[in-house]
Amino acid sequence: MITPPRIAGVQPIIRGYRPSDLDALYDICIRTADAGADLSGRFGDDRLIGDIYAAPYVTLEPDVARILDDGDGNAIGYILGTADTPEFVRRYETEWLPQLGDRYRDDDDPRDQSLLKLLRWPQRMLMPELAEYPAHLHIDLLPQARGHGEGRALMTSFLRGLHAAGVERVHLSMAPANTGARAFYDRLGFTEIPMPPGRGGLYLGRSTEI
């Protein structure tokens, strides 16, 4: 396990994912979904965004995930992802979506419609421009876990795991308006991946070698 710097007198650690972390991951996902800010209560179901960006990763590839633990067993941040995006998309369609069953319906809260489209469209992750960056990731930390080096420590642990598995490059997507996140990724050596007009969002990539 990696021991990041202290947060307010406690000693956080980076560890692997445990099934008991799942509810905390849903909570972190919704509480950081608005460029790091809280989106709780903005949708008909607060768990929907976690069913897109958190739960499928720890369900399908739990060994890839890294959890930031507050030192008392509680998850306060995470980095989740996949080592192989095309294979992840295949399993998302054949394993993850069937697990959801009829949890979400088209006549649910109208605030959920844009997210439901994303939930049911995993092919959006497959772009030819990303072929040289087969892995991808999502990283989120609660406010109290930011600004002390924990994000860098999480990323380092995640990249080392990918590199040890033989994965050479990784990518991520982000909102261009999230300038704080962009500065963070720039410091970690991510660079912009050129995309044709109209793709939406910003894509960054880097080698997994530390």
Side-chain angles (χ1 to χ4, degrees):
M1 294 184 294
I2 294 178
T3 303
R6 288 182 176 271
I7 307 175
V10 302
Q11 187 67 60
I13 59 172
I14 292 172
R15 58 168 173 81
Y17 169 75
R18 303 168 184 162
S20 58
D21 295 322
L22 186 57
D23 284 342
L25 267 57
Y26 275 106
D27 182 60
I28 294 168
C29 193
I30 189 67
R31 290 174 60 192
T32 59
D34 186 11
D38 196 346
L39 276 181
S40 299
R42 294 275 294 275
F43 303 104
D45 188 334
D46 277 351
R47 290 175 73 88
L48 174 54
I49 200 161
D51 278 333
I52 302 170
Y53 295 114
Y57 292 93
V58 294
T59 299
L60 301 177
E61 295 191 48
D63 293 342
V64 175
R66 300 290 187 273
I67 304 300
L68 182 65
D69 185 308
D70 67 358
D72 198 28
N74 304 302
I76 55 174
Y78 59 68
I79 185 166
L80 316 174
T82 175
D84 184 339
T85 299
E87 175 64 8
F88 177 79
V89 168
R90 185 192 69 79
R91 294 188 66 197
Y92 185 107
E93 290 185 285
T94 61
E95 298 177 41
W96 175 244
L97 287 178
Q99 285 189 45
L100 295 179
D102 60 356
R103 183 181 303 174
Y104 303 109
R105 301 187 315 225
D106 289 331
D107 60 353
D108 284 343
D109 195 304
R111 295 175 296 174
D112 295 345
Q113 295 309 306
S114 61
L115 287 181
L116 287 174
K117 290 179 182 179
L118 293 177
L119 176 74
R120 296 165 179 162
W121 183 36
Q123 295 83 2
R124 62 191 155 77
M125 296 181 244
L126 301 177
M127 302 181 190
E129 295 82 7
L130 302 175
E132 295 184 1
Y133 301 84
H136 76 260
L137 66 88
H138 299 281
I139 180 170
D140 294 301
L141 287 80
L142 292 177
Q144 69 266 28
R146 301 173 194 162
H148 307 276
E150 288 77 19
R152 178 182 288 273
L154 273 173
M155 186 70 74
T156 298
S157 178
F158 183 82
L159 294 176
R160 283 176 176 165
L162 288 179
H163 192 68
V167 181
E168 295 184 356
R169 294 182 182 88
V170 63
H171 74 270
L172 59 87
S173 62
M174 58 166 291
N178 193 347
T179 56
R182 178 62 193 271
F184 169 72
Y185 295 131
D186 286 347
R187 290 193 297 271
L188 292 177
F190 283 84
T191 58
E192 186 169 350
I193 301 171
M195 288 286 179
R199 287 291 191 190
L202 183 65
Y203 292 83
L204 308 176
R206 61 155 287 168
S207 164
T208 61
E209 187 171 3
I210 299 296

